Amino acid sequence: MNSSTRLPDVEPLLDHMADALRAPLAEHEGQAHLIGIHTGGVWVAGGLHRRLDLDQPMGTLDITYYRDDLAHGGLHPHIRPSRLPWSVDGQLVILVDDVLHTGRTVRAALNEIFDFGRPARVLLATLIDRGGHELPIAADVVGARYDDLAPTQRIKLNGPEPLTLTLSEREVPTP
Amino acid sequence: MNALPAPHRPGPLPTRMQLEDGRLRHLLTIEGLGRPLIEQILDNAESFAGMNDQGVKKLPLLRGKTVANLFFEASTRTRTTFELAAKRLSADVLSLNMNASATTKGETLLDTLRNLEAMQCDMFVVRHADSGAAHFIARHVAPHISVLNAGDGRHAHPTQALLDVFTIRRHKGELSKLRVAIVGDVLHSRVARSQIHALNTLATGEVRVIGPRTLLPAAVEQLGVQVYHNMEQGLKDVDVIIMLRLQKERMQGAFIPSEHEYFQRYGLDARRLALAHPEAIVMHPGPANRGVEIASEVADGPHSVILRQVTYGLSVRMAVMSMVMGVNPQVRA
């Protein structure tokens, strides 16, 4: 049976991330395009968008079709069309996800963003970096790090309102 | 009396053959597909519809797969949409005009299939003038190959029917509240047969067929439709009008007195369109015979969604291709 442990509150982590994003935003005269990755990343991006008071509406990505393990993943949840309601060409793009683990989601998101256009710069902002990266991908802005988790442990963002983090033990299927 | 066309079901259980472990492996006919599976195809098509906003209109889902379009019967539009759908999924595509290929030099169809299998093809899209051709091919292909029916004789045209119901759902919403009229040559139309099965499976409020007795199957009401021979009565208050193409050979045969008279009695013009619901949509599988089954003022008018159907056809074919290749979500039927 899964046991869940409550992790720190999300709101202070979002405050910290927004503060960290203000310097690069200032370099780009406050102009940035925020993109959340479905589903948790969209919730996190929403929180950042409110704090940063950006002019442009935020975009959303469903990267399911770009995943490298799509054919092996079995039944997937309902896939929503990605929506980037502006051109990414030449723009500062802040890509937002909830948990950075293997890095494969971010790789898929980058591939998808480049199918829309060629941004000037992409920053990665993630609420949690739990380590275990399998690709050379690192976040520019992180809410909290958990580097010592066992492979069976899973951090989950629950939402959309309120946003909470839980740590649970994943069941290992019996052979 | 109308004779029903030659038996439509070419072999045992083509409907079950297309499902494997409850999932779509081939798409040969709408018959036998459950409502959850049809809705899953439509939902997946919806997820592809947003691709038009992308600069690069391509997804990597079928990268490394090879799709062979086997068209034994000419059809530029259908072949092109299947080809483009496969390319948008990053597949390699061969489009073969089978009438000009080795089968005319004495090679049997099965020899041709074996050669295409040896070239590591993964999917055959089949168009054929004979009912059951796609089913026959599906029965004989290697286990890793999927077959999509792109129209076989008078039997079925499942992707056309799916793009039609996708169009209706997008423009009119919940099908259970709708009246849909299918107008014209239902007797010879594989499109109409597939449409009726799809609309009934999705529990459409009312499905009507409208046409002269010579162009409706004798027992058409057994398919679960209301039958009208009078255009004015049949169009009253409908939400969707699907016009069927009248084939040239029917115009020259004994099925209708003349093109002119057919248009007088069954052509869709603005006056007749006004009998339908004020927000009714007009559909046509194309290419339309203007002035025979539909007036230009209607085909190009504000109620027409004919060109949208072409666009949606890409999304629907992408959905089906990715599902039979096992790289898109599927419910079990």
Side-chain angles (χ1 to χ4, degrees), chain B residues 108-162:
Chain B
T108 69
L109 174 60
L110 290 178
D111 287 337
T112 307
L113 293 180
R114 294 285 99 83
N115 276 284
L116 290 165
E117 285 171 9
M119 293 176 207
Q120 315 296 321
C121 288
D122 300 283
M123 192 189 308
F124 294 154
V125 178
V126 178
R127 170 79 156 232
H128 203 289
D130 291 342
S131 301
H135 174 217
F136 174 85
I137 289 172
R139 201 145 34 99
H140 289 93
V141 293
H144 71 280
I145 292 180
S146 290
V147 177
L148 303 188
N149 184 3
D152 62 331
R154 298 172 185 176
H155 173 231
H157 197 348
T159 57
Q160 178 68 45
L162 288 167

Side-chain angles (χ1 to χ4, degrees), chain B residues 143-185:
Chain B
H144 71 280
I145 292 180
S146 290
V147 177
L148 303 188
N149 184 3
D152 62 331
R154 298 172 185 176
H155 173 231
H157 197 348
T159 57
Q160 178 68 45
L162 288 167
L163 79 87
D164 292 332
V165 291
F166 182 84
T167 305
I168 295 170
R169 199 178 74 158
R170 263 218 153 186
H171 287 267
K172 304 301 294 181
E174 177 56 45
L175 271 74
S176 65
K177 301 183 177 80
L178 300 179
R179 292 191 182 102
V180 178
I182 301 171
V183 184
D185 184 4

Side-chain angles (χ1 to χ4, degrees), chain A residues 71-95:
Chain A
H72 312 290
L75 192 62
H76 295 269
H78 181 62
I79 299 169
R80 296 137 293 210
S82 295
R83 297 202 189 286
L84 303 188
W86 16 251
S87 167
V88 297
D89 281 325
Q91 301 297 320
L92 167 65
V93 167
I94 303 173
L95 179 62

